[in-house]
Amino acid sequence: MTEVGNGGALRLPHARVVPLSASPASYTAAVERYLTGAGIVKSSARIYRISLTAWGWMLAGEPAPTGPARRGAKPPVFPVATIDDPMLPGVLAELAAARADEMDADTVNRELSIARKAIGWWQRQGWIDGDPTIGIERRPAPPDRTKALAENQIAALWRLDVALREKTFWKMLYESAARADEVLCLNVEDLYPQDKRGRITAKGGATEWIHWQSGTAQLLPRLIARRTRGPLFLTDRKAPAGTPTLDVCPDTGRARLSYRRAEEIFEENTRLLANPLASPEDIEELDGWTLHRLRHSALTHDAEGGTSTPMLLARSRHASVRSLRYARPGVDAVARHVAERDPAARRRNR
């Protein structure tokens, strides 16, 4: 039934969204329904679940555990409809502000973003009406100057006990400073092993070259075996029906390794390297490195070694010097530079 307002205009009554499915029995069940229903990939689901567990406490009106207390803590059991409590936004804002004072800005912002995505999905299912996070602002995060891995971290990466495919892929990414998606698109016939180079299709469709060093050169023959064509980096299983022919190895029937799976493997294998003080028992709660950090690190180490800007541009295949802003020398390189130019040190070395 419509109503007539004071100005004579017709006003439609508020209509609740009709639920697409039965509302879950609890918030925890709603989280699991979101992770599966929204298609969150396995590597991201772990982080999403941890963040939404923390938010579960706050949505129940309680502070989220931090530090050691967070390990093994289970969120309180409450119905997802509690999120529509009109008193919750004010309580939540205070709890979120207190948590933000104890956590780094990147973590706080990531958790807030994940919570809002889940709440939006629950709204679209018709399980809740409102969003109690409205009014909670993201925290300003300082620029991250530590994205490049230190050389000892790179050395530790090479010591990991991983499959030949991963060893070769990671070595090629670091030695060539190429983008991961470009390398994954390489076919065996694109390689010129005697010249230590490969032909890739870069952004915009241009054909370009990447170059590698002896580490990759020593691994490639074992990875290729006797194959003469098809994707260079393959999955462990046969390609499913419907996989494009260009992404299937004609000799083994296996499919081209996807970026998503390659990123998953790298992140999972580098969790303890990225968190050297953590216990192996906590590995499921840790974050590893991203593949892009290998490219970033290679260019940074080149810059630290005195590589000229024109060569950095050619190696990275950036179109502008401005794009090289992240290939800046790290703190250790700056310290060495200052120490080497210390007049007192020069006098001692005479």
Side-chain angles (χ1 to χ4, degrees):
M1 178 178 178
T2 57
E3 300 176 2
V4 179
N6 293 334
L10 293 179
R11 185 175 61 201
L12 294 175
H14 174 72
R16 182 182 175 89
V17 176
V18 178
L20 297 178
S21 59
S23 178
S26 67
Y27 171 79
T28 302
V31 169
E32 296 305 318
R33 293 271 290 274
Y34 165 65
L35 295 177
T36 55
I40 306 300
V41 297
K42 180 181 176 182
S43 58
S44 298
R46 181 182 63 86
I47 302 300
Y48 274 51
R49 187 176 287 106
I50 292 171
S51 297
L52 291 172
T53 296
W55 270 86
W57 288 88
M58 295 190 289
L59 290 169
E62 302 179 34
T66 57
R70 175 184 177 187
R71 193 172 304 127
K74 296 181 179 179
V77 177
F78 62 94
V80 70
T82 300
I83 294 175
D84 280 330
D85 185 335
M87 301 298 292
L88 182 58
V91 174
L92 192 61
E94 292 184 7
L95 291 171
R99 180 171 173 77
D101 289 339
E102 299 181 9
M103 310 287 288
D104 65 273
D106 286 334
T107 299
V108 168
N109 292 338
R110 181 182 69 239
E111 289 184 345
L112 176 60
S113 176
I114 289 172
R116 283 177 170 160
K117 289 177 182 177
I119 288 170
W121 192 83
W122 294 331
Q123 286 176 314
R124 292 191 292 276
Q125 306 313 302
W127 300 342
I128 58 175
D129 286 331
D131 179 355
T133 70
I134 291 176
I136 298 176
E137 297 183 356
R138 291 172 58 85
R139 290 295 173 110
D144 187 354
R145 303 296 190 193
T146 63
K147 286 185 179 178
L149 303 173
E151 293 187 5
N152 66 322
Q153 291 177 305
I154 293 293
L157 179 66
W158 303 149
R159 292 194 294 268
L160 289 180
D161 183 15
V162 295
L164 174 63
R165 179 187 65 189
E166 275 61 63
K167 287 182 180 179
T168 310
F169 181 48
W170 301 347
K171 276 276 188 181
M172 182 176 283
L173 287 183
Y174 180 71
E175 291 185 351
S176 68
R179 299 176 180 87
D181 54 347
E182 296 171 340
V183 171
L184 288 170
C185 287
L186 278 172
N187 292 326
V188 175
E189 58 267 34
D190 296 326
L191 307 180
Y192 292 75
Q194 68 279 10
D195 298 322
K196 296 180 184 175
R197 68 174 66 171
R199 183 180 56 219
I200 63 166
T201 301
K203 288 183 177 181
T207 298
E208 296 181 351
W209 296 90
I210 62 171
H211 306 261
W212 52 81
Q213 297 169 327
S214 298
T216 302
Q218 292 170 0
L219 295 169
L220 273 176
R222 293 167 52 200
L223 180 72
I224 297 170
R226 297 182 179 178
R227 294 185 291 136
T228 59
R229 57 199 175 105
L232 174 60
F233 295 101
L234 301 171
T235 56
D236 297 323
R237 300 178 180 178
K238 296 285 186 179
T243 303
T245 303
L246 291 176
D247 291 328
V248 179
C249 173
D251 298 324
T252 66
R254 288 148 59 194
R256 187 186 305 276
L257 181 65
S258 70
Y259 185 97
R260 179 192 62 77
R261 181 58 185 146
E263 184 81 281
E264 253 183 19
I265 293 171
F266 188 66
E267 191 274 333
E268 290 172 358
N269 278 279
T270 57
R271 288 175 188 172
L272 291 179
L273 293 183
N275 302 273
L277 300 181
S279 167
E281 297 175 356
D282 301 328
I283 194 167
E284 290 301 319
E285 296 187 10
L286 304 176
D287 293 334
W289 296 329
T290 61
L291 288 170
H292 181 70
R293 294 185 72 172
L294 291 176
R295 170 175 165 83
H296 186 121
S297 302
L299 294 172
T300 298
H301 296 162
D302 274 1
E304 292 174 347
T307 301
S308 67
T309 298
M311 183 56 71
L312 284 174
L313 282 172
R315 183 154 154 73
S316 66
R317 291 169 289 111
H318 280 307
S320 165
V321 174
R322 292 181 62 187
S323 301
L324 283 174
R325 62 189 180 279
Y326 61 77
R328 55 183 292 164
V331 62
D332 291 337
V334 173
R336 286 195 302 270
H337 173 85
V338 173
E340 289 168 359
R341 286 157 181 76
D342 185 336
R346 290 180 178 179
R347 285 194 295 269
R348 287 196 299 268
N349 293 330
R350 287 176 181 174

